[in-house]
Amino acid sequence: MRVTLLILALLVLPAAAGVSYASAPAPLPRRAFLGVVLAPADSAARAAARLAPDQPGVLVQRVLPGSTAERAGIEAGDVMVALDTLTLRTPVQLTQAMARRRAGERATLRWRHAGRPRARTLALASPPSEQGEGWDVEYGEVASRAGRLRTLVTRPRTPGRHPALMLVQGIGTFTVETPLMGVDGYGAIVRDFARRGFVTMRVDKPGCGDSEGGPLRDVDFDTQLDGFRAALATLRSDPAVDPDRILLFGHSMGGAWAPLLAGELPVHGIAVYGTLVRTWTEYMLENDRRQSALGGQSAAAIDSALKVEARVCSYLWSEGLSPGEMARAQPDLAAWVDSSMTNATYYAGSHYRFFQQLAAKNLAAAWANYDGHVLALYGRSDFLSGEEDHALIARIVNQAHPGHARFQAIDGIDHAFRAEATQAASFATWGQPGAPLDDRVVQALRAWSDEVVND
């Protein structure tokens, strides 16, 4: 693919009557929050900071309120040069280093302000906690095979049992805690359901946010599925939740996990957006053709590349060879491994075992066995998934359970719920800020959930 799709201390009390007692495990700690928006330092920023030609540094574009950086005195336009002994050459270095730090740990920050060096050692702050707008937000945790995972639950302030929505996010290393820099698609969906009296559940994957485990790139498909399974089981047992009125929303890869979860733990309905149901090989070949064309490659070049890709899909994803085994068995495919994988191990940011496990799943069978309500949503400016997969989900469900599924396509929305006129426009601006959030996915989910939740 041309674009990465969008991972105990016991306190022993004094013995009484010959019996010793141990406290419960300490709560899952919060992650550290540096609170800066970074970019590579261009020539103007380097000149303003008076950096030597070979001196590293990354530009601070924005400092977030309540953050460690704000407490330290870092300002927009400064250039950060080090975190403890780590010299900073790229923004991702700092992101990766902070992912391993927890709030309360001490760190030394070094930066340049108006050309002068500055440094400060201080305790790392935690990110500000989410605040409900007429509902409560609970930070919890569930145990999974990868470790303890952070859960975020919103609760209405009215008594009784309520319908519930669990968000199953897509692939990628990020937290589902509502972002501080604005409302993303997930945040908009969660807020809309919370506002309408639903309990909502999110769970951070291993190595993301406050969750233990990771790094996520080494966590396979089934282990990530186990984390969602633990969260759904917790949601079903919540005394504030009506277990017969639980809905799942699966976005992107979350739309592959969702029907597998529902096959183990019953839910009333599933909505998906920007996902797949056909085999991983079919998805890969179609997705590469689509993105290669959007990238301006000729039809002849695309055909040649897809012939190689088809062989890779057979050996790597279907037969389950490792990249090294594939390259040794088929030496002409070694060039594909070198150009498409990191360290001959990671594809699109995930371990190759992740995709081998996905390729082994029969998603069509999972959908055919599901007898609840289904909404398959597709934004026609989404270049990372195909419309046919979404229409096919509805056909599969309706063939087995007539009238249970609906397919709905929406013009002018891309994979990230942004307003983009075409797939080409989304492809050209992917990963860049600017395109506004389009709320028609939220509207579609609202209409569908209002219809089915009391059915």
Side-chain angles (χ1 to χ4, degrees):
M1 289 175 290
R2 304 298 183 262
V3 176
T4 300
L5 298 177
L6 351 126
I7 330 210
L8 302 182
L10 296 179
L11 172 63
V12 179
L13 301 179
V19 179
S20 63
Y21 299 90
S23 71
L28 185 64
R30 294 287 273 145
R31 69 186 187 277
F33 174 57
L34 186 57
V36 288
V37 179
L38 301 174
D42 58 18
S43 57
R46 295 182 63 83
R50 299 177 187 172
L51 290 175
D54 60 345
Q55 189 174 357
V58 292
L59 175 65
V60 177
Q61 292 184 315
R62 184 179 173 189
V63 177
L64 301 180
S67 66
T68 307
E70 183 183 60
R71 287 169 43 203
I74 297 172
E75 300 177 13
D78 291 350
V79 172
M80 289 200 63
V81 296
L83 171 67
D84 291 329
T85 59
L86 174 67
T87 55
L88 302 173
R89 299 183 183 279
T90 65
V92 72
Q93 278 183 297
L94 185 56
T95 301
Q96 292 173 344
M98 288 300 298
R100 297 188 293 270
R101 307 297 290 267
R102 290 292 178 259
E105 294 180 14
R106 296 186 68 77
T108 299
L109 307 178
R110 302 184 188 279
W111 71 99
R112 296 185 73 87
H113 174 78
R116 297 183 177 181
R118 291 188 176 180
R120 187 170 177 189
T121 300
L122 72 171
L124 294 168
S126 62
S129 297
E130 287 188 17
Q131 301 297 317
E133 304 165 14
W135 58 86
D136 296 321
V137 182
E138 175 186 287
Y139 283 69
E141 60 190 75
V142 293
S144 78
R145 68 175 68 163
R148 294 181 297 168
L149 307 181
R150 169 67 71 210
T151 57
L152 294 105
V153 176
T154 69
R155 299 183 184 281
R157 292 173 180 166
T158 53
R161 295 200 164 206
H162 304 272
L165 174 80
M166 177 170 156
L167 173 75
V168 186
Q169 65 269 32
I171 200 170
T173 304
F174 54 87
T175 177
V176 289
E177 191 172 0
T178 298
L180 300 173
M181 293 174 287
V183 178
D184 69 348
Y186 293 163
I189 291 167
V190 167
R191 273 189 280 275
D192 186 75
F193 276 81
R195 192 175 295 119
R196 292 187 292 121
F198 280 70
V199 173
T200 73
M201 164 74 84
R202 288 160 285 162
V203 59
D204 265 328
K205 292 180 285 188
C208 296
D210 297 338
S211 291
E212 297 174 340
L216 186 66
R217 68 177 189 168
D218 290 318
V219 182
D220 60 33
F221 183 94
D222 290 340
T223 301
Q224 294 187 46
L225 175 64
D226 179 70
F228 291 119
R229 180 188 299 118
L232 180 55
T234 298
L235 183 64
R236 284 181 53 81
S237 65
D238 192 313
V241 170
D242 181 348
D244 294 325
R245 293 193 294 162
I246 295 176
L247 307 178
L248 300 180
F249 172 65
H251 173 236
S252 195
M253 192 62 72
W257 280 308
L260 299 173
L261 286 170
E264 302 178 32
L265 299 168
V267 297
H268 189 64
I270 304 174
V272 295
Y273 181 85
T275 191
L276 75 155
V277 68
R278 288 177 288 181
T279 65
W280 181 240
T281 291
E282 290 175 280
Y283 171 84
M284 285 286 297
L285 295 176
E286 180 182 290
N287 201 44
D288 272 5
R289 177 175 289 280
R290 181 191 310 114
Q291 294 186 27
S292 296
L294 290 171
Q297 294 189 35
S298 69
I302 292 172
D303 275 12
S304 295
L306 289 185
K307 289 177 180 178
V308 174
E309 190 83 58
R311 294 174 60 213
V312 169
C313 287
S314 177
Y315 292 117
L316 189 57
W317 310 133
S318 298
E319 293 188 23
L321 298 182
S322 71
E325 290 170 335
M326 179 180 71
R328 288 190 291 272
Q330 302 291 327
D332 62 316
L333 296 182
W336 183 94
V337 174
D338 291 340
S339 64
S340 301
M341 304 191 76
T342 302
N343 299 331
T345 303
Y346 304 103
Y347 180 75
S350 294
H351 199 285
Y352 67 84
R353 286 194 299 268
F354 178 101
F355 298 107
Q356 288 177 341
Q357 291 173 355
L358 170 60
K361 301 292 187 285
N362 190 329
L363 299 179
W367 282 113
N369 291 331
Y370 179 67
D371 63 358
H373 297 280
V374 172
L375 176 64
L377 287 171
Y378 178 69
R380 287 196 167 123
S381 296
D382 182 352
F383 66 88
L384 284 163
S385 66
E387 183 167 341
E388 174 56 27
D389 279 274
H390 299 75
L392 181 58
I393 288 171
R395 291 201 301 271
I396 291 170
V397 174
N398 284 330
Q399 184 176 20
H401 310 283
H404 281 221
R406 179 186 309 158
F407 163 62
Q408 182 179 347
I410 308 174
D411 292 328
I413 304 181
D414 74 0
H415 193 73
F417 314 100
R418 304 181 308 172
E420 291 284 9
T422 63
Q423 289 184 354
S426 178
F427 184 86
T429 61
W430 189 254
Q432 303 174 17
L437 188 70
D438 193 309
D439 70 351
R440 284 178 293 165
V441 171
V442 176
Q443 294 175 23
L445 290 171
R446 183 189 309 146
W448 172 77
S449 61
D450 284 344
E451 176 184 339
V452 306
V453 76
N454 294 313
D455 183 39

